[in-house]
Each structure stands twice: as C-alpha cells, then as structure tokens.
Amino acid sequence: MTATPEVDARDSSTIRNPATGAVAGQVRWTDPADVTRIAAGLRAAQTDWEARGAKGRAKVLARYAVWLGEHRAEIEDLLIKETGKSAVDAAQEVPLILMITSYYVRTMEKALAPDSRPAALPFLSIKKITVHYRPRPVVGIIAPWNYPVANALMDAIGALAAGCAVLLKPSERTPLTAELLLRGWQDSGAPEVLALAQGAREVSEAVIDNSDFIQFTGSSATGAKVMERAARRLTPVSLELGGKDPMIVLEDADVELAAHAAVWGAMFNAGQTCVSVERVYVLESVYDQFVDAVVRDVKNLKMGAGEGNDFGALIDDGQVSVTERHVEDAIAKGAKALTGGERRNGPGSFYEPTVLVDVDHSMACMTEETFGPTLPIMKVKSVEEAVRLANDSPYGLSAAVFSKDVDRAKAVALQLDCGGVNVNDVISNLMCTTAPMGGWKTSGIGARFGGPEGLRKYCRVETVVAPRTNVGAGGNYYNNSPKALKRMNTMMTKLALIRPRRMAK
C-alpha cells in the first residue's frame, strides 16, 4: 500500500506518530538529482564487495546480525514511535530478519557456488560447462511502511549476500527506522555498499533509473507503475504486491484453533500485513460455532500503541478511510458488523476491530485489499464453493486451510491460486526461510526471499564453456562440404534421438 507521508505540513522533515500525533523524529529528504551520485558510489564499492566472496560477505552479515540483536530494544522503540504499533507487533520484525540472515550466512556459499552442468550429448563431453551467479551491481529496494525493518532488510540482506550493493528507498511515512538500520550497518564495520534515498515518488523514480534490479513491495497499482518505469531501461524487477488472502475452514476443522488463527491473522499489525487473513469461507455446519468463537476473541483484544496492547494504530487517516469505506459499503449491502464498525473516538488513526458477517462478493470488503482490522466471514455450502470463491480474485498472495485431516487440507491447498498456503496456521509461510515467498496474478512477480532463489534472483547467470581436452578442437570449423555436412547431420540426429526413442516406447 502506498500514499502520501504523515508529515508536518510546515516542515517536510518532521515525522509524527500516527497513534498520538507526537513528533517521532526528523529526516532529511534526498534530492532526486543526488540519486545518480549515490548510485555511482555504490557501484564503485560493489566491485570489492563481490570480490570478497561468499565467505567474506557472510562474516560482515553475521556482524550486522549481532548488531541488530544487541540494538533490538532501540529499534522496536523507534518502530512504535514511527508507526504507532503495539509492542507485540513491533517485536516481530528483528527476529524475522535474524532468522533470514542466519539462514543465508549458513547457506550462501553453496547457493552461489558455480554449478557444473553435464553435456547434453556424448560428443560434447569434451566441454566443461559451468554456470556462475554474478551479482547485479546495484539493487534498488523500494520498501513499504507497514514493516519498516522486515520489509527493508528481508530484501536487502539477500541482495547484499549475493554480492550486490543496495540502494534502499524506505517509505516516506517511515524513514526514521531506515536511518537507524543504516547506522547499524556502518557501526558493524561493513563497507559502503548500503545507502539510503529518502523521499517520495520522484526519488523512487530516480532509484529505478539508477539501479540494475528493482525489488518493490507495495500495492498492485504502484507495482505496475514501477514495472513500467523499469521497462524503459529493461531493468528486471521483483514485485511483492497486494493480497486479499483467503482462509477456508472445513467442517472437520479444529474450530477453536481456526478462530484464534483468523483473529490473529486478521488483526495482527492492525491488519496491515500483506499475508494477513482478509476473508474467511466457513462450511455451514461449523459456521455459527466459528463466528461465536471469533467474536469472543475479538472482544478481548486491546487496541493501542506500545506495551500492553494487541495491535496499534493504522498508519494514517487515509488508511482509516479505506477501512471505513469497505465496512460502510458492506453494511449498506446487507452485511452486519458484530464488533467494531467504526473508528475509535479520540486521538490517533485507530479503527475498532470489526467482524463482518452476511458478506458476499458484491462487497469491497471481500474483493479489495482492506489493509485494516476487519474480518469478513462468509458461509459456504461445500469445499468446491469455498475454493471457487477463494480463487475469485485478481490477487494470489497467500491463503490458509483448516482441517483435522492434513492430507485433505493439502489437497485443497493445491487447488488455490496463490504463492503460498498454510495448513492449520496463518502467516507462517513468511517464516519459512528455506522456501521462496511470492505471489501470483496481481500479487506479484518473482520470489521475495527464501531458499537459494532468494539470492540468485539478484544475480546474472554467466555460462562458461571450457575445453576438457584439445583433442578435436576446431574440427567442425567451416567443414561444410556436402559429404561432411550429411555425415554431421546424420550423427547429430541419431545421438539426439537416442533418449526420446527409449522414452517413447
């Protein structure tokens, strides 16, 4: 999601806490014209960074992970001030980055090692084929505001591990946390291969224009604009975009577990999570039991920033307005709000946690990304209906299926059109660092992070073909007599068809 920054109109460098309106800190915006110079500096430093090799870079990343762990309290305090998060929501970000960094530090040497490939045909065995993963010099990362640490570093760590330099453009709504993260990189003795560009649209465009690869996280509409801009220079992109993530509750599910998961998945970070639970389809035989459990759990939630609360503020009043519009549209079309249904009285951009029932796909709350603390629940008659409705969306980021029969749930999961499905859990796919995370349809292009793919995405593939022996070298150069050509074609055809003929039998 993207929008205008929460800044003081009299001073564009003043960032305010959306929960209280208090000043969170000051930031200096980057002149778009300076981005070319910043990128040039990164490009110069990247050569040495690549030359360190995977082992050398792993040591630097390990030191940075230690710094992040030692400064976790400071980082989380700033997160709360800058975003209005609850303490429990702010506490999720640094550990995720430590998990990702730990995984890459252990595996990056193997993931980035040259890959030997066999010869396709016997007569080519005189050649040694090696695929090398060479880093793109400058990776531009345009990060959103909902997780200022996680959404910046889960991409930056992979790019740095691959040997790239990183030009990070944090959201103009949450620039302060990025300044702290950069300070940590410098304090941990790392080279100058990480830099910031602070600002809004014009700075983002300059980052795109001066990078060799773009990782963007945000809305689908903005992602399309990023891709269009990058296409001017044929710059490759990886996009993790919006979602309208469905949850399916089968009639044999553990209803209490499913209800707890739905509430946490929908309300975590005030619903401002790309892989949150945004809509639920429940088989009619357990629908009433599920709804009762959800309402009970939601009524026990505490809303507010900082310690002692379950979730905090929305990022600004604009995001509150989106949530209000979706709820009002649903109620006008026949839905009922069993909890909440309005913004909280008093200061701050808060919206009451809202459970909606009697919903359908004519309502925005079931078809558009809300990114707010709402939980619309729809009764369905069959698993087939649930799957059909879950797939009835332009989005395809993640989903969840609940059933006591895990094999049955997995079978349902493989019918869903999305990049990741959790069985009897929600959001946990985000923690699976060994597997790629990404979306289908308008939810994105490529894998965000995870597994070897999370490193290799930042690399250019270079194939080196070298001789194993000098025997036969140059034997086919311009040997184009009719007799030689016929002999060569006959031999190549026979060799190429050996395996297909065996398999065709």
Side-chain angles (χ1 to χ4, degrees), residues 377-399:
I377 307 171
M378 185 173 178
K379 182 191 299 185
V380 294
K381 295 181 179 180
S382 66
V383 177
E384 292 74 19
E385 182 184 10
V387 170
R388 176 178 59 79
L389 290 168
N391 288 337
D392 180 25
S393 173
Y395 298 109
L397 190 55
S398 70

Side-chain angles (χ1 to χ4, degrees), residues 7 61 75 97 210 257 342 371-372 487 494:
V7 296
L61 292 171
I75 294 169
I97 296 306
N210 287 277
L257 173 64
E342 58 186 8
F371 235 55
R487 183 172 61 249
K494 286 182 178 180

Side-chain angles (χ1 to χ4, degrees), residues 145-300:
W145 45 261
N146 55 333
Y147 294 96
V149 175
N151 274 324
L153 291 186
M154 68 172 59
D155 300 316
I157 293 298
L160 290 165
C164 312
V166 170
L167 178 53
L168 172 63
K169 208 297 288 184
S171 170
E172 60 271 27
R173 293 167 165 181
T174 53
L176 303 177
T177 302
E179 299 277 354
L180 179 55
L181 297 179
L182 177 61
R183 192 194 85 196
W185 179 257
Q186 296 166 342
D187 289 352
S188 60
E192 295 183 355
V193 288
L194 175 64
L196 298 183
Q198 298 277 26
R201 180 180 59 82
E202 290 183 351
V203 174
S204 294
E205 291 174 348
V207 169
I208 296 169
D209 293 345
N210 287 277
S211 298
D212 305 298
F213 184 96
I214 294 295
Q215 169 63 54
F216 171 78
T217 305
S219 72
S220 300
T222 306
K225 294 177 181 178
V226 168
M227 190 172 183
E228 180 180 5
R229 181 89 185 189
R232 298 180 183 183
R233 297 175 55 245
L234 296 181
T235 302
V237 300
S238 177
L239 309 174
E240 200 256 86
L241 307 177
K244 192 66 183 176
D245 307 306
M247 173 176 169
I248 296 175
V249 182
L250 304 185
E251 77 282 354
D252 62 346
D254 180 334
V255 175
E256 285 292 316
L257 173 64
H260 292 325
V263 172
W264 183 76
M267 306 303 170
F268 177 67
N269 203 43
Q272 299 170 123
T273 304
C274 60
V275 292
S276 66
V277 176
E278 285 240 357
R279 51 194 170 116
V280 186
Y281 303 97
V282 186
L283 271 291
E284 56 186 355
S285 61
V286 294
Y287 174 82
D288 291 338
Q289 181 186 355
F290 177 84
V291 170
D292 289 345
V294 164
V295 170
R296 178 202 64 210
D297 283 2
V298 169
K299 287 182 176 179
N300 289 328

